[in-house]
Amino acid sequence: MSSTVTTRFAPSPTGTLHVGNIRTALHNWLLAKQAGGRFLLRIDDTDVARSREEHVTAIRADLAWLGLHPEREERQSARFDIYEAAFHKLIAARRLYRCYESAQELDLKRKVLLGRGLPPIYDRSALALTEADHAAKAAAGEHPHWRFLLDRDAPITWVDGIRGSQHFDPAQMSDPVVRRADGSWLYMLPSVIDDIEMDVTDVLRGEDHVSNTATQVQMFTALDAPVPRFAHEALLTGAEGKLSKRLGSLGVTEMCANGIEPEALIALLARLGTSDPVDPALDAESLAARFDLTRFGRAPARFDDAELARVNAAVIHKLPYARAADRLPEGMGEAAWEVIRPNLNTVTEAAAWWRVVTGPVEAPEFDAETRAFLDQAAGVAAALDWAEDPWGALTAALKDSTGRKGKALFMPLRQALTGMDHGPDMKALLPLIGKDEAVRRLG
Ligand code: GLU
């Protein structure tokens, strides 16, 4: 096994990525970055019938949006020759054997075993077939499917990067089918062949793959390859603690539509499943430096939209102008961005605040006394040197001349100038509104 840490994200392009897959991709990227290693994208499209090119395109686009750039991309559908060679090697080593049972027959066998209180393990009856039996099947037009022969005398163990010490008894496992009668591959063996050939050192994936790993550990050995490090992450659940349907479809498209920044999603997912606080970092490299698999627990990790929204706001409050510029309204420059940014939950909301700057704004109806105060304010504003701190100068002068202070001083001014009761810091906002417009709004 190569010494360069190499991870891979291996989605099947049978759908778009959901937040669970995105977390797996991110964690593989972080693991590789942290070690100065390589992160690969492997499109698992051996299932030609269910794989769609549009999903491959969407997966690439999603990773690009997240900034998770793979060093190399591979597709299983382009690697059938490699699988064929390994297949023959395993046949020669007597680790693969031909079977003919139909799905119904297998189902019946399982039911009989379960009915007798036994584990539903394949009985290996096909191992007893002779070459003459196979020839007779072939003559009758029957094609075999192939199973991998587990070594029942070799206990399966590995130290999982998240789950710790793992033990499986191969005598309690069925020999897995690796290739169907029509010649097509199941996921299990091609994945091992690829992990070997691509020098993958670390396989990090969901805990739904733990039992596959048990089988795959023996496949690595059967192919004379070292077994990579494995780690299996607890699955994601919704905020209500249940596996939710919604999470299974929540992906980059919906996140984008909701104004979620990739940095926010990355910051949250980098820590989701640990008890460490989320760090709304703008650069994923800094998250990589502190990424630690041992911090991840075995309990399901809760994904909470409200938490994502909070992280998103925290990210936006630090987001440099350059990362928002092409989504801001015409004319809104860096100074305005910095004034408005602390008020935003999403970048889109900047437009409404920019309208407060450019006007027109609709102020509430004021009582006569407040109206008189505002007229006075307009006069003071018109006479001010606008270059310095007009808000400081305006409020100081009005405080002196009217005796108003606190809310009675500030609120009518804010309302007249912005049409709102809250919003960006007036000291920063007023210079953006400009003198003439401010005088007009006050008067
Ligand atoms: N294509 C498999 C999946 O999406 C890959 C599993 C793995 O990482 O090996 O579940």
Side-chain angles (χ1 to χ4, degrees):
M1 188 158 51
S2 134
S3 59
T4 308
V5 167
T6 303
T7 65
R8 87 292 195 278
F9 174 51
S12 306
T14 52
T16 50
L17 299 183
H18 57 71
V19 64
N21 310 133
I22 294 171
R23 185 177 67 141
T24 303
L26 170 67
H27 289 183
N28 275 288
W29 184 90
L30 290 168
L31 205 57
K33 283 294 143 200
Q34 176 181 57
R38 303 184 310 144
F39 166 69
L40 312 179
L41 170 62
R42 190 184 80 204
I43 303 291
D44 279 4
D45 57 352
T46 51
D47 188 345
V48 179
R50 289 178 62 230
S51 299
R52 295 265 177 284
E53 202 51 37
E54 76 216 55
H55 296 315
V56 176
T57 309
I59 288 167
R60 285 193 199 113
D62 287 357
L63 292 181
W65 182 77
L66 289 156
L68 306 180
H69 302 290
E71 256 82 56
R72 174 171 152 195
E73 180 185 317
E74 296 287 353
R75 296 179 73 129
Q76 291 196 321
S77 58
R79 300 171 57 79
F80 288 137
D81 290 351
I82 297 170
Y83 307 149
E84 204 65 43
F87 177 67
H88 288 290
K89 186 173 163 184
L90 288 174
I91 292 174
R94 303 197 169 283
R95 295 304 295 271
L96 295 178
Y97 62 99
R98 289 163 283 180
C99 304
Y100 300 88
E101 292 92 345
S102 65
Q104 289 87 331
E105 282 172 84
L106 291 171
D107 198 40
L108 190 64
K109 285 187 189 218
R110 267 194 299 270
K111 283 189 178 135
V112 169
L113 287 169
L114 287 170
R116 286 163 44 201
L118 295 170
I121 300 166
Y122 175 60
D123 61 10
R124 290 184 165 175
S125 54
L127 273 182
L129 296 173
T130 62
E131 278 312 313
D133 294 330
H134 289 299
K137 298 265 186 200
E142 274 191 69
H143 296 289
H145 57 269
W146 294 80
R147 286 186 189 261
F148 176 75
L149 184 70
L150 289 166
D151 180 352
R152 291 195 167 158
D153 298 324
I156 299 166
T157 62
W158 76 91
V159 179
D160 194 283
I162 292 172
R163 300 165 64 86
S165 201
Q166 302 288 298
H167 299 269
F168 282 80
D169 176 3
Q172 300 297 314
M173 293 158 58
S174 284
D175 292 335
V177 175
V178 294
R179 200 169 187 181
R180 299 185 190 89
D182 65 2
S184 65
W185 294 99
L186 283 100
Y187 142 81
M188 205 87 87
L189 182 59
S191 177
V192 169
I193 298 167
D194 287 341
D195 288 338
I196 296 170
E197 202 266 342
M198 295 170 195
D199 283 328
V200 169
T201 58
D202 293 80
V203 175
L204 170 59
R205 55 190 180 183
E207 67 180 12
D208 49 331
H209 283 289
V210 170
S211 58
N212 289 340
T213 299
T215 303
Q216 288 179 321
V217 162
Q218 284 209 353
M219 292 179 175
F220 280 98
T221 308
L223 286 164
D224 302 319
V227 179
R229 288 180 287 267
F230 279 98
H232 296 85
E233 306 196 295
L235 300 181
L236 284 190
T237 68
E240 62 293 342
K242 289 189 302 234
L243 278 172
S244 80
K245 254 197 187 157
R246 188 175 159 262
L247 278 192
S249 64
L250 179 62
V252 165
T253 308
E254 190 179 336
M255 303 273 182
C256 271
N258 291 342
I260 299 299
E261 302 296 314
E263 292 87 348
L265 186 58
I266 284 183
L268 180 66
L269 294 182
R271 293 288 162 83
L272 201 61
T274 73
S275 50
D276 298 336
V278 175
D279 170 7
L282 288 182
D283 87 87
E285 309 278 340
S286 77
L287 293 172
R290 280 164 291 133
F291 184 66
D292 181 359
L293 266 192
T294 66
R295 305 291 301 161
F296 287 83
R298 291 185 57 172
R302 281 183 185 212
F303 176 84
D304 180 358
D305 286 306
E307 192 180 9
L308 179 60
R310 279 194 297 277
V311 178
N312 198 51
V315 160
I316 289 177
H317 299 168
K318 302 201 284 193
L319 202 66
Y321 174 66
R323 292 210 204 170
D326 59 355
R327 292 176 286 160
L328 297 178
E330 186 75 29
M332 183 173 163
E334 185 160 3
W337 168 247
E338 274 166 20
V339 172
I340 287 169
R341 178 175 77 165
N343 295 274
L344 304 179
N345 294 306
T346 65
V347 170
T348 325
E349 290 173 3
W353 288 113
W354 181 240
R355 276 195 300 279
V356 168
V357 171
T358 56
V361 300
E362 207 172 308
E365 283 294 315
F366 295 108
D367 61 33
E369 195 196 335
T370 311
R371 186 66 266 156
F373 163 67
L374 289 170
D375 287 341
Q376 199 176 336
V380 175
L384 276 182
D385 171 4
W386 210 256
E388 280 292 304
D389 165 18
W391 178 251
L394 175 69
T395 51
L398 288 168
K399 189 175 175 188
D400 277 354
S401 60
T402 66
R404 283 188 184 235
K405 54 183 190 215
K407 202 173 165 194
L409 173 65
F410 301 120
M411 189 53 91
L413 295 173
R414 178 183 281 283
Q415 288 172 332
L417 287 164
T418 69
M420 315 272 287
D421 292 345
H422 68 282
D425 179 16
M426 289 303 300
K427 180 178 155 81
L429 194 63
L430 197 50
L432 295 175
I433 294 174
K435 185 168 179 173
D436 293 348
E437 178 66 14
V439 171
R440 236 189 324 276
R441 291 184 195 179
L442 290 168

